Amino acid sequence: MKFSESWLREWVNPAIDSDELVARVTMAGLEVDSVEPVAPEFSGVVVGQITAIEPHPNADKLRVCQVSGGESGSVQVVCGAPNARLGLKIPFATIGAVLPGNFKIKKAKLRDVESFGMLCAEKELGVSDADEGLWELPDDAPVGEDIRSYLNLNDRIIEVDLTPNRGDCLSIRGLAREVGVIGQVAVNEVNCQPVPAVVEDVVDVALMEPQACPRYAGRVIRNIDVSVETPQWMQEKLRRSGLRSIDPVVDVTNYVLLELGQPMHAFDLNRLSGGIKVRMAKPGEPLALLDGSEVKLQADTLVIADNSGAIAMAGIMGGDLTAVGDNTRDIFLESAFFDPVSIAGKPRNYGLHTDSSHRFERGVDTRLQAVAIERATALLLDIVGGEPGPVVLAESSEHMPATASVALRKRRLQQQLGMSFQSDDISQMMAGLGLRQLSVDTDGWVFAAPSWRFDIQIEADLVEEVARIHGYNRLPTSSVSTSLEIRPGNEKMLDLATLRSKLTVSGYREAISYSFVNPAVQQVLDPETTPVVLANPIASDMAVMRTTLLSGLLPLVRHNLNRQQSRIRLFETGLRFQLNEGLQQQRVIAGVITGARHPESWACGSDAVDFFDIKGDVEALLSTGKSANDFLWSPASLSYLHPGQSARVTRGEKTVGFVGRLHPFVQKALDISQPVFVFELLLAELLLNELPTFSDISKFPEVRRDLAVVVDQNVTSGQLSEVVTAAAGEHFVNLKVFDVYQGKGIENNSKSVAMGLTFRHASRTLTEDEVSVAIEKVVAALHNEYSAVLRG
């Protein structure tokens, strides 16, 4: 929100300087982004008037003007501006004037004709970028008056960055309320008295969507003169608020928007067909907008329509068909309240953002519509004349937002702010903010929120208001003191930080990506799953919720590879979102690796990572807790993984996740230039742990026996390990699969798997017979389960 300090001081004028005013506004929670002068420093420029003009004798594009306004009376000035004409009043830089950039005006001779000064454009004074011609001043500008004084160019432009809950401050009136209550200064309200009707003409209004638009005010004004120029004072206030002057009707509606905070629109009455209908758009209904674009409306868009169809997007932008133009003589003014939910997000769907939508999305005063109509009418009658009709007010009381009644307890106020307040002080603060006191007693107060404060709903909101108005810097400071309860740790659960540390030690770096991902990437990785589609995406490449964390990690890999970072190890923890009997949110951990196995060094080779590198990293994760042996590995078949280099990790009957190499087709579709290996695991399963138990370290030697068994090639080592562990007996402590062989001496469709079995007793040395019995049981179990035979 941009505004000029002088405009604000017309409403409320505390006896403080500009810097103190800015500081107080900031401390009240309305952050000031910037403060800039309306115009740079210059001097010696006055209001001048061209009293005579004739062609330059030696130049076709120059003219010789006689200009009054300087101390020495009428002087001769050579000017090349195309709009220089007799009687025109302009900024006149006299001899000795200093313009922005330390440009000094001296006596000059242009094509043998002397010139005693300079006639200025807006750009030459640093006021704006307009340099098409001279800055034309109003006819009533006092000749000879200093231009800085006449145009109040010693003013400053203040820009305030407002949080979305403070839509009430998107106006001079709202800001004045804040400054008034902070400085305990009276606010000067403008005159918004009803303007009596002169004609009886009305336009019927039908609220077909009362929940979205519960109040709509309108008024006919006939016989206006749009050829009249907007007054200089209004143009300047608009310009200093970031809006350009268009025509007097549009300027008045913009002025009321900035002054009171109520967006308005004016229709050319003679272009309307029948009455006004506030309804939802028909799917695909066309509408040509004021900015020259044409849109196909969506069914959830609220529109203003007449008998011919939609003529405006409600609360966003008017239509070109009914726009006020040079030939307009009669207008219909509208001023409505639109429910913020019905407007929120709609402008972005059409690639639009307007001052009106910015305010309606945040909430406009529900009681301001008729007041704004009266204010705009009075301004229009003063500028363009006309004959107003009666105000038509269509309203659905049952759909109007109710104002909240909120209790504020003295005990709670003191607890939160660390100090007590006088009852009269609190009442005065709240009254200044527009809150109406319903009751007061020894325990506290009850206030009714005003119609413009949607954000006041609970007691904490009132506590915040007291802190703001009293001043955060004036609140006492104290050290927090409380007793902390030491809670027992849950040793059946691992800490996520432990898993993060494990991966970090292995060379991974944690990444954080958006939960919103590119639909094209999502489709490549998970084509069989329908993702959650966002109703109001930030951008087209962030339009769906991820069903796998790889949707965010793999674009990061591509991003780094494109910047000559060829060795990448990334991991991420977060939620994935899947539609499966409703929305399911699962916490997972995922990782990617690509490039060289080791960092570049004279001591290491340049071998690239392979499947077993990432498998080892995942096994290290799984072995973090005591339940590492619960996880089993088996071949997997996923569309985005290489069919020969992918594995499924299970725990009992539940799938924990997948590990493998990215499928070459997927790699190519994602424009990744080198092989990538990935994993994704459910955190809920990884964090489960067994209770730690103590066991003595055995002083006795362990015994190892190696077995090589021939089994069907489809039997996995995990399946063999499961059988061995179950059959080996109580003294069995470890199993290592150290070789797999297929080839000469092994039948087709079979393989040899070599395993090392380790046995140990806690209190004595095992005998040869005990170990042999255990081995025989293992061999028998393998034979019974998988027809395994010892390799000869």
Side-chain angles (χ1 to χ4, degrees):
M1 170 72 182
K2 278 186 176 181
F3 61 94
S4 73
E5 181 183 346
S6 62
W7 194 4
L8 178 63
R9 287 188 181 272
E10 290 177 15
W11 281 74
V12 58
N13 192 13
I16 55 177
D17 61 19
S18 299
D19 293 337
E20 179 64 19
L21 175 65
V22 168
R24 289 193 183 184
V25 169
T26 298
M27 288 307 296
L30 309 178
E31 182 182 357
V32 175
D33 267 358
S34 63
V35 181
E36 300 175 352
V38 167
E41 286 297 323
F42 64 82
S43 61
V45 183
V46 300
V47 176
Q49 184 174 24
I50 300 176
T51 57
I53 186 169
E54 60 183 24
H56 191 289
N58 302 321
D60 294 338
K61 294 185 178 180
L62 298 178
R63 279 173 284 183
V64 181
C65 306
Q66 299 299 320
V67 181
S68 62
E71 294 181 357
S72 57
S74 182
V75 296
Q76 180 174 282
V77 178
V78 177
C79 177
N83 62 332
R85 62 185 182 272
L86 183 65
L88 181 66
K89 292 185 177 180
I90 49 2
F92 173 34
T94 58
I95 297 297
V98 180
L99 299 188
N102 199 30
F103 179 68
K104 297 180 180 179
I105 302 299
K106 301 177 182 178
K107 176 183 174 182
K109 183 177 288 189
L110 301 177
R111 295 288 186 95
D112 299 327
V113 176
E114 289 186 325
S115 180
F116 300 90
M118 176 179 174
L119 308 185
C120 303
E122 293 180 41
K123 185 174 183 179
E124 289 161 339
L125 297 180
V127 173
S128 76
D129 293 330
D131 61 351
E132 309 81 43
L134 300 177
W135 188 358
E136 299 188 13
L137 301 177
D139 293 338
D140 60 356
V143 176
E145 183 172 344
D146 185 275
I147 200 75
R148 296 192 73 93
S149 174
Y150 170 63
L151 294 175
N152 190 21
L153 296 182
N154 295 320
D155 192 9
R156 301 207 294 179
I157 298 174
I158 302 173
E159 184 172 7
V160 177
D161 185 15
L162 299 171
T163 51
N165 65 311
R166 293 310 306 271
D168 62 295
C169 289
L170 287 168
S171 66
I172 296 296
R173 186 189 202 186
L175 291 166
R177 275 193 298 254
E178 294 290 312
V179 174
V181 70
I182 294 169
Q184 298 182 359
V185 182
V187 177
N188 305 315
E189 289 281 353
V190 296
N191 181 14
C192 296
Q193 294 300 315
V195 177
V198 176
V199 297
E200 298 301 320
D201 299 342
V202 296
V203 173
D204 294 331
V205 177
L207 301 181
M208 303 174 69
E209 293 290 337
Q211 187 168 357
C213 177
R215 175 174 286 151
Y216 187 102
R219 170 176 249 167
V220 171
I221 303 179
R222 289 196 176 275
N223 299 319
I224 66 171
D225 181 7
V226 294
S227 65
V228 177
E229 187 176 3
T230 303
Q232 182 74 31
W233 63 267
M234 183 176 287
Q235 290 189 40
E236 274 299 289
K237 286 182 176 179
L238 293 175
R239 184 184 66 80
R240 296 176 193 187
S241 298
L243 299 179
R244 64 184 180 89
S245 175
I246 298 175
D247 63 56
V249 175
V250 175
D251 289 351
V252 165
T253 59
N254 284 337
Y255 183 84
V256 173
L257 174 140
L258 294 171
E259 183 181 58
L260 301 181
Q262 173 64 53
M264 301 183 68
H265 185 67
F267 299 99
D268 188 323
L269 181 64
N270 297 316
R271 294 185 178 185
L272 291 179
S273 175
I276 293 293
K277 303 178 183 64
V278 185
R279 60 171 172 82
M280 288 297 179
K282 300 172 184 176
E285 186 175 6
L287 176 61
L289 297 173
L290 285 173
D291 63 358
S293 63
E294 183 168 334
V295 296
K296 299 292 184 182
L297 297 170
Q298 302 168 9
D300 61 349
T301 302
L302 189 68
V303 298
I304 310 299
D306 62 6
N307 293 341
S308 66
I311 57 175
M313 294 174 68
I316 301 173
M317 186 178 289
D320 185 60
L321 181 64
T322 56
V324 173
D326 294 339
N327 299 319
T328 299
R329 291 294 173 266
D330 308 314
I331 62 172
F332 176 70
L333 273 180
E334 73 159 16
S335 176
F337 171 75
F338 300 113
D339 181 59
V341 175
S342 68
I343 305 297
K346 301 302 186 300
R348 194 179 295 114
N349 291 344
Y350 297 96
L352 300 172
H353 179 79
T354 64
D355 291 306
S356 293
S357 66
H358 186 74
R359 285 160 175 79
F360 279 124
E361 286 181 309
R362 286 153 178 76
V364 170
D365 186 349
T366 59
R367 303 291 174 184
L368 191 58
Q369 290 68 49
V371 174
I373 282 280
E374 301 293 356
R375 175 62 170 159
T377 302
L379 290 169
L380 285 170
L381 295 184
D382 287 342
I383 299 170
V384 298
E387 301 167 347
V391 175
V392 174
L393 183 62
E395 185 176 30
S396 175
S397 300
E398 60 184 293
H399 293 102
M400 289 296 294
T403 56
S405 296
V406 185
L408 176 61
R409 293 167 292 172
K410 294 180 179 179
R411 176 176 55 83
R412 185 67 169 172
L413 189 62
Q414 182 169 6
Q415 178 193 39
Q416 292 288 302
L417 303 185
M419 62 181 296
S420 58
F421 294 85
Q422 295 295 324
S423 181
D424 290 344
D425 292 340
I426 296 298
S427 299
Q428 185 178 352
M429 287 183 194
M430 296 298 113
L433 291 170
L435 283 85
R436 182 165 51 91
Q437 183 173 297
L438 300 179
S439 64
V440 59
D441 55 29
T442 55
D443 293 330
W445 310 261
V446 178
F447 296 100
S451 56
W452 59 83
R453 291 300 298 271
F454 297 92
D455 59 319
I456 296 180
Q457 298 291 330
I458 59 176
E459 185 179 38
D461 298 328
L462 293 181
V463 174
E464 180 186 2
E465 294 303 298
V466 173
R468 283 194 320 109
I469 303 308
H470 179 72
Y472 295 115
N473 55 330
R474 297 172 58 196
L475 295 176
T477 57
S478 59
S479 300
V480 177
S481 176
T482 185
S483 58
L484 299 178
E485 179 185 355
I486 300 177
R487 298 180 179 179
N490 185 0
E491 294 183 275
K492 289 188 176 181
M493 293 293 293
L494 291 175
D495 187 5
L496 179 57
T498 304
L499 301 183
R500 287 190 172 119
S501 298
K502 180 79 75 172
L503 287 172
T504 302
V505 169
S506 300
Y508 287 76
R509 292 295 176 263
E510 185 171 10
I512 300 175
S513 62
Y514 285 103
S515 299
F516 314 142
V517 297
N518 192 326
V521 174
Q522 184 65 53
Q523 176 66 20
V524 168
L525 289 174
D526 199 358
E528 298 177 357
T529 302
T530 301
V532 178
V533 179
L534 297 177
N536 184 25
I538 298 173
S540 59
D541 59 351
M542 302 175 72
V544 299
M545 303 293 287
R546 64 189 180 193
T547 62
T548 167
L549 265 61
L550 299 177
S551 302
L553 282 174
L554 290 172
L556 293 179
V557 171
R558 179 180 60 206
H559 180 87
N560 281 274
L561 289 174
N562 291 341
R563 286 154 180 79
Q564 293 79 48
Q565 301 299 315
S566 59
R567 185 177 186 271
I568 301 168
R569 290 172 178 253
L570 299 173
F571 79 94
E572 182 175 9
T573 62
L575 293 173
R576 67 184 183 191
F577 306 86
Q578 296 181 334
L579 291 172
N580 184 14
E581 297 181 358
L583 178 63
Q584 290 187 347
Q585 303 181 63
Q586 296 176 314
R587 295 178 68 208
V588 294
I589 184 169
V592 293
I593 63 171
T594 186
R597 178 172 289 125
H598 302 288
E600 185 176 2
S601 168
W602 62 268
C604 303
S606 58
D607 296 344
V609 293
D610 58 22
F611 171 79
F612 295 102
D613 288 291
I614 197 162
K615 181 175 183 288
D617 293 337
V618 173
E619 286 178 330
L621 274 183
L622 301 179
S623 64
T624 305
K626 283 199 65 179
S627 56
N629 293 331
D630 294 348
F631 298 99
L632 297 177
W633 295 74
S634 61
S637 177
L638 275 83
S639 61
Y640 67 90
L641 294 181
H642 194 295
Q645 300 184 49
S646 57
R648 181 192 308 270
V649 181
T650 58
R651 185 175 195 168
E653 298 297 323
K654 188 168 186 177
T655 298
V656 175
F658 300 91
V659 182
R661 175 180 172 178
L662 199 64
H663 197 290
F665 290 159
V666 174
Q667 176 186 321
K668 182 178 180 181
L670 297 179
D671 194 24
I672 296 176
S673 58
Q674 61 191 44
V676 177
F677 297 86
V678 303
F679 71 84
E680 186 170 60
L681 307 166
L682 287 174
L683 271 175
E685 296 298 323
L686 264 66
L687 297 177
L688 287 177
N689 191 27
E690 295 179 3
L691 272 177
T693 56
F694 174 77
S695 58
D696 289 328
I697 298 175
S698 176
K699 300 178 182 179
F700 298 92
E702 58 186 27
V703 180
R704 171 169 168 155
R705 292 288 185 269
D706 292 344
L707 291 178
V709 294
V710 178
V711 295
D712 187 274
Q713 65 178 4
N714 293 322
V715 177
T716 66
S717 60
Q719 292 172 318
L720 295 178
S721 299
E722 192 173 7
V723 172
V724 169
T725 302
E730 60 179 328
H731 304 315
F732 172 75
V733 293
N734 193 22
L735 172 66
K736 292 288 185 183
V737 177
F738 61 87
D739 184 49
V740 178
Y741 172 74
Q742 285 181 290
K744 186 177 180 180
I746 304 297
E747 296 182 3
N748 292 336
N749 300 323
S750 296
K751 63 181 177 182
S752 169
V753 180
M755 299 173 286
L757 286 71
T758 302
F759 300 88
R760 185 177 61 233
H761 198 285
S763 58
R764 61 180 176 82
T765 301
L766 291 171
T767 65
E768 184 67 25
D769 291 341
E770 289 175 318
V771 175
S772 296
V773 169
I775 293 296
E776 289 173 0
K777 290 181 179 180
V778 168
V779 171
L782 291 172
H783 179 74
N784 292 335
E785 192 70 29
Y786 297 113
S787 300
V789 295
L790 287 175
R791 182 180 171 188

